[in-house]
Amino acid sequence: MARLDTIHRYALKGFSPETLDACSLAADRVLPGDRAYALARPGAPFDVSAPAHMKKKFTLMLAFYPELARVKTRLIDGDQLELSLPSGQSFTLDLPQKTARVSVDPGLCQELCALASLEPETLDLVHASDQALTDIPDPHLSIINLESVKTLETACGLPVDPVRFRGNLLVSGMEAWSELEAVGQVWQVGSAQLEIMARIRRCPATSVHPDTAQRDIDMPALLMQTRGHMDCGVYARVKTPGLIEPGADISRVM
């Protein structure tokens, strides 16, 4: 039977995930705290007085700067975020709880820009109280089928860490690629119900190994060669709120 294997939250957009033991989902909201913060580059159109969805090109993230995969993040008590750099240095960011755009420590800016092979520049930590800084403006979760990922491993002959796909919910026990045909269905996961909204077209960020930061697999090309498309995973809307935990059964209710 299909079940929920892992819950991942990416508090800082474009950086490493945090694994959750359980999570309470609210209707029509993203996973709590997911992509709640981002590092905005100079000129990013983030208006504190009227925050709105912002395209990822305006942020510092591994989709454009793969070496950032080597930075590990850790949420501390919900109001601080620790960034551990490959140099051994660590920085702690105080996380605003209301909509804000605040300057980042110049030392951290310098380290991150050097890692990304950028000229030194100022970075701002941005947060919108009612708008997650996800790739899409809709308040959706993302689901990755681990059985589908296994077929990609077989196709390329290399281990494929599902973290490449940066999903919130990793599920197992489901037929490979069946999730792509589930658009329009409603799934029961724990006490929550999720409506499957759309397939996810993958970008070059999935080509980056989440630990080594090497572009070792051209994932969009592999998907096209083996599946005839570049989709892996689906977006889901929280239709009915509830608690989810790893190990929870997944069943179709509509």
Side-chain angles (χ1 to χ4, degrees):
M1 185 173 185
R3 69 180 185 90
L4 177 59
D5 188 272
T6 308
I7 305 171
H8 278 163
R9 172 170 64 193
Y10 295 82
L12 184 62
K13 179 181 176 65
F15 285 79
S16 63
E18 170 191 11
T19 301
L20 303 181
D21 295 329
C23 184
S24 292
L25 300 179
D28 293 309
R29 308 290 287 185
V30 300
L31 191 96
D34 189 56
R35 277 80 168 186
Y37 301 90
L39 293 177
R41 300 188 63 196
F46 185 86
D47 185 352
V48 174
S49 64
H53 178 255
M54 183 173 65
K55 293 183 178 180
K56 61 185 178 183
K57 68 180 181 180
F58 295 111
T59 66
L60 194 71
M61 58 182 300
L62 69 81
F64 306 112
Y65 310 104
E67 284 296 323
L68 296 177
R70 298 169 63 201
V71 178
K72 304 306 175 185
T73 62
R74 183 173 68 94
L75 200 61
I76 305 172
D77 297 329
D79 58 6
Q80 289 186 314
L81 187 74
E82 181 183 66
L83 286 80
S84 298
L85 280 60
S87 65
Q89 287 185 283
S90 293
F91 293 83
T92 300
L93 299 176
D94 291 323
L95 300 177
Q97 303 303 304
K98 297 181 179 180
T99 298
R101 181 171 187 161
V102 296
S103 298
V104 172
D105 182 306
L108 177 57
C109 293
Q110 183 175 355
E111 291 289 334
L112 291 175
C113 288
L115 196 59
S117 298
L118 291 170
E119 291 296 321
E121 62 184 32
T122 57
L123 299 170
D124 293 334
L125 181 69
V126 297
H127 171 67
S129 299
D130 296 315
Q131 172 68 59
L133 300 168
T134 50
D135 286 351
I136 59 172
D138 306 294
H140 294 165
L141 289 71
S142 55
I143 300 174
I144 301 299
N145 182 357
L146 295 177
E147 308 306 325
S148 302
V149 175
K150 289 177 184 177
T151 71
L152 295 173
E153 289 186 321
T154 300
C156 70
L158 294 170
V160 176
D161 189 332
V163 171
R164 286 178 186 264
F165 302 101
R166 311 188 69 71
N168 296 126
L169 309 183
L170 308 185
V171 303
S172 60
M174 185 179 295
E175 183 179 348
W177 304 106
S178 61
E179 72 281 10
L180 299 186
E181 307 308 317
V183 175
Q185 295 180 8
V186 176
W187 293 355
Q188 185 80 39
V189 185
S191 60
Q193 290 187 353
L194 307 180
E195 181 181 2
I196 309 305
M197 302 301 293
R199 294 157 60 142
I200 305 175
R201 183 180 176 88
R202 307 319 311 203
C203 73
T206 56
S207 299
V208 179
H209 192 290
D211 289 323
T212 67
Q214 298 299 307
R215 292 187 184 274
D216 57 346
I217 302 172
D218 187 339
M219 192 59 68
L222 179 64
L223 285 165
M224 183 59 71
Q225 291 163 7
T226 59
R227 305 298 306 170
H229 56 70
M230 293 193 294
D231 301 339
C232 184
V234 289
Y235 286 120
R237 176 180 77 89
V238 180
K239 179 180 176 70
T240 303
L243 177 69
I244 60 171
E245 299 175 279
D249 291 339
I250 299 173
S251 59
R252 180 181 176 182
V253 295
M254 289 181 63

